[in-house]
Amino acid sequence: MSVSLTKVLQSKLTKYTLATILLFSSALILAVYCVLRLSMPNLSDNLTTNGITSPVTIERDTLGTAIITASNRIDASYAMGYAHGQDRFFQMDLLRRNSAGELSEIFGKAALELDKSRRFHQLRKRAQSIFEQLPQQDKASLSAYAKGVNQALADQTVLSFEYLLTNSSPREWHETDSLLVIYSMYLDLQGNTIKRDMALTQLQQAFGNDMVDFLIQPSHHQAALDDSQIPLYQGGVPELEEQILISALTQDIEEPVEVGSNNWAITGKLTESGRAMLSDDMHLSFAVPIIWYRAQLNYPSALQKGAMQQITGVSLPGAPAIVVGSNGKLAWGFTNSYIDTADWIEISSDTEIELEYEPIDLPEDQINYTVQVSKYGPVKTVAGINYALSWVGHTDYAVNMALLSLETADSVEQAAALATQIGIPAQNMLLADNKGNAGWKIAGAVPSRNNPSDTAQSTTGYQMADWQQQQAVMPEMINPDNQRIWTANSRVLSTEEQLRFGDGGYALGARAAQIRDRLMAKDSFNEDDFYQLQLDNEARFLIPWQQYLLEVLSEQPVKFAEDIKLIANWGNCACAGSVGYTLVRHFRTALIDQTFAPIETELKQRDSSLSVVKRYLETPMWQLLKQKPDSWLPKEHADWQAFSIAAYQTSTQSLLEQYSPKGKLADLRWGKVNQLKIQHPFSKQLPQLSRWLDMPITEGFGDSFMPAVQGKSFGASQRFIVQPGAEQDAIMSIPGGQSGHPLSPYYRNGFEQYVKQQHTPLLPTEIEHTLVIKPLTDNQVKLTHTEMKAP
């Protein structure tokens, strides 16, 4: 056979092979598409069910908002469960499994360590116990919600793709699962409080009380509502032993996720309408789908005959409540309060400990996990010492459905009175009403013990009886003289109240101070003014760092000529085009990491870390830079200036290696380094799925320590602004769509408007789908019972 003929045949075979591969690939893609189409929920239909007493409708608007109309609140819970089940069941499943420690059942051994950490709290048992104690009305609401979820699941033709990919099956929703969803929020919002106290305990054990006081000293960034100031630290810098300095490992101190939020409110004296106005943006980790779900509830008012109660806002899939929203008379929003709701108790060797078994299911196996339990709480051994955890999440009053009571409250005063009845993680609840009142109060579960501690307590100081009781009276402020209220996860309480309720990991205060100053700069506001404040990315906090870095680099003006120019012209903002902001921001992080490496090295050996107190290190870092103690200076550097330059070079080189193949500083734009990348959990493991499952990658905007909070997969999970009674002008922007189904038109709806900083309305827009669910007739119910009895 000639060479030419061989080439021709090879060419022919290659073409046939390519054609076959293309045909097979096309067939496979078509098959996958068909399966996905079959798993799409039906949003326009007429159905019957035995789970309701009167007909309900579920409408979807252009954003996919679930507009629910029912004849009573219990039926509305059923309808919300049905809508959540259609659009978000897998997300709900992950939330309940997360808190219960049951993810390994789907994901296998990869989730085993996380499940073990969750089983330490035994939250499924606690949820069951609490459910049995709930008022009958709340039980009925949770039961109706569960029936709605399960009916939506039963009406699904084909399993959703998540279960197909994991070769697993969905499990029915139980009433107690909604309580587990609330527990998942506890773990997100108070998990670092628990770790913080243990980290400070290990710091105390290794370095003494002086080091604890030095590292968590009060900051000058304080913005309490009463303007009270905690006195600044007057102590010196503790010396580090030379051996500790020498043995320090070069390592990053993990950046803590700034779980928290911003909210603020003004009274009607500062609005044209005379209504109060509220802003709320909750900061959480981003995923696809985004955590919140747009919903509106409509049902007859129990207080005004012939009137309809209408509540519009966002719900948390898994629970039948509007978490943040407005009912036309009252609006409410939350930020994490970070008061101290956990204590570790050092227990002696003769303390009675029981073993409780928590079997963890794997796809084809089971692990028998054991939890040690004492009368003070579950027990953990760290550095050879036993500690018991006393945490509000373990109490009988931790979770309930009292949040539903806000739906019918019509004034700030009435809502504030309900605050201590609500079973959620302790929050700064901000309120605004249509009469012009604005208020703040700590809402949620707070123990009545009055001796919070940053480090482990002894058993003699433990107030067991007080831990079992909910705090009856909580701090509040309604209609302050300045007409303005703000919170942003830092201390809101007065200095006296701070002693009583403790510090559970407050934010530094720079973000709250910037919000306060913006509010004080004007005497009249509208919705757009508040939206622009939510987008405020001025870098006030980093100005001292920019000035210090310029001062350091100016000692070598030729070598750092380009750096100096970029840093000097940084724009004073976390703007997408700013290279200087990137250089300053990462220099600060590198210098802190390297300075406190000796402490971090020791804590890592004790199964702990400075990560959970990293935000506190700002103030001691500046004290070190001013005093320049030799005992803290790494031995390879001649002085603190040389150390600072080395830290800058390390951080810049690391950035260039990651973001600039050609090693150009110009490539280090903040929008590129801090790109917003919102991913589906599956695409993180299978990057090939990213183009179908993830939100489009966009340039970063904002950062920590400023109102416009945004990280690579973290930020404002919703932006909400409203004057109660003027909901037609209200804003609700969310960085993602309603549906968890990738073929749904509501999968990405709203994301583009969010990243382009466009207003998205709170109220529903044009209706696109209507689902009507009617109760079964008596004959249908009898027929159903007959079918159930048939052999």
Side-chain angles (χ1 to χ4, degrees):
M1 185 182 295
S2 69
V3 175
S4 297
L5 183 57
T6 302
K7 288 182 177 179
V8 169
L9 288 174
Q10 286 178 340
S11 177
K12 284 273 188 183
L13 288 172
T14 301
K15 288 179 180 178
Y16 285 132
T17 303
L18 287 173
T20 302
I21 291 172
L22 287 172
L23 184 63
F24 178 78
S25 298
S26 298
L28 181 61
I29 291 171
L30 181 61
V32 170
Y33 177 81
C34 289
V35 170
L36 285 175
R37 288 295 302 176
L38 288 172
S39 66
M40 284 272 286
N42 193 350
L43 303 184
S44 296
D45 207 347
N46 286 278
L47 307 171
T48 56
T49 180
N50 62 356
I52 54 177
T53 58
S54 300
V56 299
T57 61
I58 306 172
E59 298 171 302
R60 265 45 172 238
D61 72 348
T62 53
L63 286 172
T65 306
I67 304 107
I68 293 167
T69 304
S71 297
N72 56 74
R73 185 59 179 87
I74 301 299
D75 285 351
S77 290
Y78 177 95
M80 185 178 281
Y82 195 93
H84 284 169
Q86 281 191 309
D87 290 329
R88 299 288 191 91
F89 184 81
F90 187 71
Q91 175 196 6
M92 297 159 55
D93 195 5
L94 292 187
L95 285 172
R96 67 174 171 179
R97 288 177 180 276
N98 172 59
S99 58
E102 297 169 353
L103 290 167
S104 298
E105 191 175 348
I106 293 180
F107 300 109
K109 291 184 178 180
L112 190 55
E113 290 308 310
L114 178 60
D115 277 354
K116 288 179 179 179
S117 71
R118 301 315 197 207
R119 292 299 180 97
F120 179 76
H121 302 291
Q122 299 181 292
L123 296 178
R124 182 167 285 285
K125 291 181 181 179
R126 299 182 195 281
Q128 182 63 46
S129 174
I130 287 175
F131 176 78
E132 293 168 1
Q133 302 172 46
L134 289 178
Q136 190 57 44
Q137 181 76 2
D138 290 348
K139 286 183 178 178
S141 185
L142 290 175
S143 178
Y145 179 83
K147 289 178 181 177
V149 172
N150 292 329
Q151 188 61 55
L153 202 61
D155 289 344
Q156 194 172 23
T157 307
V158 175
L159 291 179
S160 64
F161 78 96
E162 297 98 337
Y163 293 104
L164 295 175
L165 282 177
T166 56
N167 192 30
S168 59
S169 300
R171 189 172 64 202
E172 278 199 343
W173 196 259
H174 189 271
E175 294 101 326
T176 57
D177 290 336
S178 292
L179 303 182
L180 285 170
V181 167
I182 301 174
Y183 273 130
S184 253
M185 297 306 295
Y186 263 98
L187 293 167
D188 271 356
L189 299 175
Q190 294 187 2
N192 274 353
T193 296
I194 297 169
K195 293 177 182 177
R196 171 188 181 273
D197 283 10
M198 180 53 72
L200 293 176
T201 297
Q202 297 310 308
L203 183 70
Q204 180 189 55
Q205 294 280 353
F207 297 97
N209 288 322
D210 288 348
M211 185 65 77
V212 174
D213 293 341
F214 172 64
L215 292 191
I216 63 170
Q217 61 179 284
S219 162
H220 70 276
H221 298 285
Q222 299 186 41
L225 287 178
D226 68 346
D227 200 33
S228 60
Q229 300 289 303
I230 296 176
L232 299 182
Y233 177 73
Q234 299 299 318
V237 176
E239 286 197 8
L240 282 181
E241 295 178 8
E242 185 174 359
Q243 186 55 44
I244 292 175
L245 200 64
I246 293 172
S247 61
L249 301 175
T250 301
Q251 56 188 317
D252 296 337
I253 302 172
E254 184 180 349
E255 290 287 336
V257 177
E258 296 284 343
V259 176
S261 311
N262 298 329
N263 61 19
W264 58 87
I266 54 173
T267 70
K269 292 184 178 180
L270 302 183
T271 65
E272 185 177 340
S273 68
R275 301 181 180 93
M277 185 159 61
L278 169 73
S279 170
D280 188 86
D281 55 288
M282 296 183 283
H283 307 151
L284 294 168
S285 295
F286 288 159
V288 177
I290 212 70
I291 190 168
W292 305 115
Y293 183 89
R294 293 172 175 270
Q296 183 185 82
L297 302 180
N298 298 274
Y299 55 89
S301 170
L303 302 176
Q304 188 176 350
K305 189 175 181 180
M308 291 291 285
Q309 195 77 42
Q310 183 178 92
I311 309 97
T312 312
V314 292
S315 58
L316 175 63
I322 299 295
V323 177
V324 167
S326 178
N327 64 17
K329 295 180 179 179
L330 174 79
W332 59 94
F334 299 102
T335 71
N336 201 25
S337 70
Y338 281 108
I339 61 173
D340 191 352
T341 54
D343 286 322
W344 288 99
I345 314 300
E346 183 177 336
I347 59 177
S348 61
S349 58
D350 60 353
T351 300
E352 184 177 346
I353 294 177
E354 296 180 357
L355 300 181
E356 297 191 7
Y357 297 97
E358 290 279 329
I360 300 176
D361 289 329
L362 297 166
E364 297 179 357
D365 197 4
Q366 189 180 77
I367 301 293
N368 290 317
Y369 183 64
T370 305
V371 179
Q372 298 183 78
V373 180
S374 72
K375 64 180 181 180
Y376 306 103
V379 177
K380 178 179 181 179
T381 304
V382 182
I385 299 175
N386 284 341
Y387 300 93
L389 176 63
S390 193
W391 177 41
V392 73
H394 297 160
T395 65
D396 289 342
Y397 53 85
V399 296
N400 59 37
M401 295 311 299
L403 184 63
L404 297 176
S405 61
L406 291 180
E407 294 179 2
T408 55
D410 62 5
S411 69
V412 166
E413 184 179 5
Q414 184 181 357
L418 298 169
T420 56
Q421 302 172 25
I422 300 173
I424 56 174
Q427 300 286 293
N428 293 309
M429 181 169 73
L430 249 63
L431 304 162
D433 66 29
N434 62 347
K435 304 177 188 70
N437 303 299
W440 158 81
K441 190 170 186 177
I442 298 287
V446 179
S448 64
R449 67 88 162 85
N450 59 16
N451 63 339
S453 176
D454 291 323
T455 56
Q457 298 182 11
S458 66
T459 54
T460 56
Y462 183 65
Q463 301 174 348
M464 183 172 293
D466 293 326
W467 264 104
Q468 304 310 313
Q469 299 295 321
Q470 162 85 314
Q471 175 68 23
V473 179
M474 292 300 298
E476 68 177 14
M477 180 177 287
I478 297 176
N479 295 336
D481 291 341
N482 64 19
Q483 316 304 322
R484 300 159 175 87
I485 300 174
W486 58 88
T487 85
N489 311 125
S490 56
R491 178 177 64 90
V492 181
L493 309 171
S494 68
T495 52
E496 291 79 10
E497 292 165 338
Q498 160 77 2
L499 293 174
R500 161 63 185 84
F501 293 101
D503 180 353
Y506 285 130
L508 194 61
R511 183 158 37 100
Q514 193 160 328
I515 292 169
R516 175 200 61 199
D517 294 347
R518 297 296 194 204
L519 292 174
M520 294 299 181
K522 294 184 62 175
D523 291 325
S524 179
F525 298 87
N526 58 30
E527 286 83 356
D528 189 63
D529 293 326
F530 271 23
Y531 196 67
Q532 294 310 310
L533 179 46
Q534 288 185 348
L535 302 176
D536 179 10
N537 68 345
E538 182 182 351
R540 288 187 176 188
F541 171 76
L542 282 185
I543 290 174
W545 284 102
Q546 184 241 13
Q547 294 171 346
Y548 176 70
L549 183 54
L550 284 174
E551 176 187 323
V552 168
L553 298 183
S554 294
E555 293 296 319
Q556 300 181 45
V558 177
K559 181 177 180 178
F560 295 111
E562 184 183 4
D563 309 66
I564 291 169
K565 182 178 179 180
L566 290 168
I567 294 166
N569 298 306
W570 70 324
N572 191 23
C573 63
C575 298
S578 177
V579 174
Y581 183 86
T582 303
L583 298 176
V584 174
R585 173 69 161 81
H586 281 260
F587 162 67
R588 172 188 177 270
T589 299
L591 188 61
I592 288 175
D593 286 352
Q594 293 177 36
T595 300
F596 294 98
I599 311 293
E600 179 71 357
T601 299
E602 176 64 28
L603 291 186
K604 284 289 177 116
Q605 295 173 3
R606 293 168 170 264
D607 193 28
S608 195
S609 172
L610 283 172
S611 173
V612 288
V613 293
K614 191 170 184 178
R615 63 175 67 93
Y616 294 82
L617 302 182
E618 170 76 8
T619 302
M621 184 72 247
W622 279 111
Q623 187 172 352
L624 290 168
L625 289 176
K626 289 174 182 176
Q627 297 187 17
K628 300 179 174 59
D630 289 339
S631 73
W632 283 73
L633 180 66
K635 298 306 178 185
E636 64 268 26
H637 300 295
D639 52 38
W640 279 83
Q641 180 156 317
F643 177 34
S644 296
I645 289 176
Y648 172 74
Q649 290 176 307
T650 299
S651 67
T652 303
Q653 184 59 37
S654 177
L655 285 166
L656 290 171
E657 290 173 358
Q658 189 172 356
Y659 299 103
S660 179
K662 296 182 180 180
K664 293 183 177 180
L665 289 176
D667 290 336
L668 304 181
R669 295 177 298 100
W670 181 243
K672 180 180 179 181
V673 172
N674 194 40
Q675 277 183 336
L676 180 60
K677 190 175 183 180
I678 305 180
Q679 295 182 275
H680 191 281
F682 285 8
S683 73
K684 293 180 179 179
Q685 304 301 320
L686 299 170
Q688 302 91 331
L689 299 177
S690 290
R691 62 179 295 191
W692 292 285
L693 298 183
D694 296 348
M695 295 296 120
I697 297 174
T698 60
E699 288 203 328
F701 175 89
D703 192 12
S704 303
F705 307 117
M706 58 184 62
V709 171
Q710 191 228 293
K712 294 180 180 180
S713 59
F714 181 84
S717 57
Q718 45 73 244
R719 295 183 180 129
F720 174 48
I721 300 165
V722 65
Q723 295 185 50
E727 281 76 13
Q728 71 279 1
D729 299 319
I731 297 168
M732 178 66 82
S733 296
I734 297 177
Q738 283 281 94
S739 174
H741 197 293
L743 294 186
S744 169
Y746 305 125
Y747 188 71
R748 293 184 172 87
N749 260 18
F751 174 78
E752 184 178 1
Q753 296 96 316
Y754 176 91
V755 296
K756 288 184 176 179
Q757 300 167 11
Q758 298 171 347
H759 295 188
T760 307
L762 168 68
L763 290 181
T765 54
E766 182 180 350
I767 302 301
E768 295 186 338
H769 296 279
T770 301
L771 184 69
V772 178
I773 307 177
K774 296 179 180 179
L776 292 171
T777 64
D778 290 342
N779 287 336
Q780 289 172 318
V781 172
K782 290 177 183 178
L783 181 60
T784 301
H785 287 165
T786 301
E787 291 174 343
M788 290 174 63
K789 293 176 183 179

